Amino acid sequence: MKLSTKGRYGLRAVLDMALYENEGPITLNSIAERQGISEGYLEQLMVPLKRAGLVKSVRGAQGGYILAKEPKNITVGEVIRALEGPIAPVACVSEDYPEECERAEGCVTRMVWEKVRDSIAEVLDSFTLEDLVQESRKYTSQNSYMYYI
Amino acid sequence: MKLSTKGRYGLRAVLDMALYENEGPITLNSIAERQGISEGYLEQLMVPLKRAGLVKSVRGAQGGYILAKEPKNITVGEVIRALEGPIAPVACVSEDYPEECERAEGCVTRMVWEKVRDSIAEVLDSFTLEDLVQESRKYTSQNSYMYYI
DNA sequence: CTAATTCCTATTAAAATAATAGGATTTAAT
DNA sequence: ATTAAATCCTATTATTTTAATAGGAATTAG
């Protein structure tokens, strides 16, 4: 029941982008440095984030990545789903295409997993990047450039 | 964010035991057949379940496994924790010994993971084996020996 | 033109998961 | 006592997923 680094790193990356939003395109290199994540790995995470319409890339020198929507319109749930796939504690109750199961009819554990799925989704969908940015600024003194994530 | 087969098979196994509780010790062989799970793998799952005080074994011929407590006193949460470890969407918010993290102080994603952890725990702890047994009997006609899990 | 950057494909390393194998030990039943 | 049915125990292997690395192609600001 653990998130992989895809989801964790990916959320930190987009949150980093939200924090430095006014500085133009953010390079993977700078995110990687601030967050202590391998740049090559971050690169792989950007593919699904772009596909999900959460970030946009700017190629060439002075390029980088920017958020495709305002932080207040990006939920943690969207980011996690983009990177980890639909929320599904077990495959047969996946949010989008639940896997068929012979035992499905009358399966009683399924209702447990459905509730787990919904409660996870509810929490993840209740936070926007903006919420986290604001929370982060609380911890950050006026002059500090250190943001915690 | 998926449960492994440990948790899924293990829950089905103890639920199977709850359903056939009045028939004395249940052999792994019979659970394996009914549930379509490899007997050898089930054997491995019994170790943590015993250690957690959820099942007891009876050795020798006519032996098998029995629940160590009444079904109404065993929650799905206990079973899952026994098999998958403490609930923890990420290691730094694990239910028992959260992993240290340099970024912990002022980390804003952590509060998301804490809420996710708590909401999962709440759902899992809200179901007892008895709840599931009763649900299962709803689907089972009086004369049928087929129980759905 | 050059340097900085994303883009793309492939490969590899490491870890976790799932399953299998084979024998030792215990015990009810005969 | 013997036997058969069962748990117990240790080790190994196969498979899958996760995480990371490598190297070069394409794009673009200056």
Side-chain angles (χ1 to χ4, degrees):
Chain A
M1 286 292 276
K2 283 230 178 59
L3 238 68
S4 74
T5 56
K6 279 181 218 155
R8 291 192 286 122
Y9 290 1
L11 180 58
R12 277 164 58 195
V14 293
L15 186 47
D16 191 289
M17 289 167 65
L19 284 163
Y20 293 93
E21 205 183 12
N22 50 353
E23 302 185 10
I26 316 288
T27 65
L28 290 187
N29 182 273
S30 69
I31 299 176
E33 255 180 33
R34 282 192 294 263
Q35 300 296 330
I37 300 172
S38 118
E39 188 181 343
Y41 194 45
L42 269 179
E43 205 177 293
Q44 292 176 51
L45 303 184
M46 290 299 133
V47 178
L49 288 173
K50 277 179 65 174
R51 197 161 40 216
L54 300 176
V55 307
K56 281 193 275 196
S57 62
V58 180
R59 299 191 69 172
Q62 312 303 108
Y65 288 89
I66 54 176
L67 295 179
K69 303 194 283 185
E70 292 177 54
K72 72 167 188 238
N73 291 323
I74 298 180
T75 67
V76 172
E78 287 180 280
V79 177
I80 297 302
R81 287 187 188 89
L83 292 161
E84 306 260 348
I87 294 168
V90 310
C92 67
V93 300
S94 177
E95 279 180 323
D96 54 3
Y97 302 109
E99 213 168 77
E100 291 297 326
C101 167
E102 318 132 16
R103 296 166 190 277
E105 192 190 335
C107 172
V108 299
T109 55
R110 162 185 282 219
M111 72 183 183
V112 178
W113 311 136
E114 281 171 349
K115 279 207 177 191
V116 168
R117 176 199 61 199
D118 293 342
S119 74
I120 293 173
E122 198 182 320
V123 173
L124 296 182
D125 290 335
S126 74
F127 288 97
T128 68
L129 288 191
E130 183 61 27
D131 296 333
L132 298 182
V133 164
Q134 274 174 19
E135 192 67 22
S136 177
R137 302 229 196 271
K138 278 194 209 164
Y139 288 99
T140 309
S141 74
Q142 221 173 348
N143 302 327
S144 166
Y145 285 103
M146 263 310 276
Y147 290 117
Y148 287 108
I149 302 181
Chain B
M1 287 293 275
K2 282 232 179 57
L3 239 66
S4 73
T5 56
K6 281 181 214 154
R8 289 191 287 122
Y9 289 1
L11 179 59
R12 275 165 58 193
V14 293
L15 185 47
D16 190 290
M17 289 167 66
L19 284 163
Y20 293 94
E21 204 183 13
N22 51 352
E23 302 185 8
I26 316 288
T27 65
L28 290 187
N29 181 272
S30 69
I31 298 176
E33 255 180 34
R34 281 192 294 262
Q35 300 296 330
I37 301 172
S38 117
E39 187 180 342
Y41 194 45
L42 269 179
E43 206 178 292
Q44 292 177 51
L45 303 184
M46 290 298 133
V47 177
L49 288 173
K50 277 179 67 174
R51 198 162 40 218
L54 300 176
V55 307
K56 281 194 276 198
S57 62
V58 180
R59 299 191 67 171
Q62 312 303 107
Y65 288 88
I66 55 177
L67 294 180
K69 303 194 285 185
E70 292 176 56
K72 71 167 186 238
N73 292 323
I74 298 180
T75 66
V76 172
E78 287 180 280
V79 177
I80 297 301
R81 286 186 188 89
L83 292 162
E84 306 260 349
I87 293 168
V90 310
C92 68
V93 301
S94 177
E95 278 181 323
D96 53 3
Y97 301 110
E99 213 167 78
E100 291 297 327
C101 167
E102 319 130 15
R103 298 165 190 277
E105 192 190 336
C107 173
V108 299
T109 54
R110 163 186 282 219
M111 72 183 186
V112 179
W113 311 137
E114 282 170 349
K115 280 208 175 190
V116 169
R117 175 198 64 201
D118 294 342
S119 75
I120 293 173
E122 199 183 317
V123 173
L124 296 182
D125 291 336
S126 74
F127 287 97
T128 68
L129 288 191
E130 182 61 27
D131 296 333
L132 298 183
V133 165
Q134 274 174 20
E135 192 66 23
S136 177
R137 303 229 195 272
K138 277 194 208 164
Y139 287 99
T140 310
S141 74
Q142 220 174 350
N143 302 326
S144 167
Y145 285 103
M146 264 310 275
Y147 290 115
Y148 288 108
I149 301 182

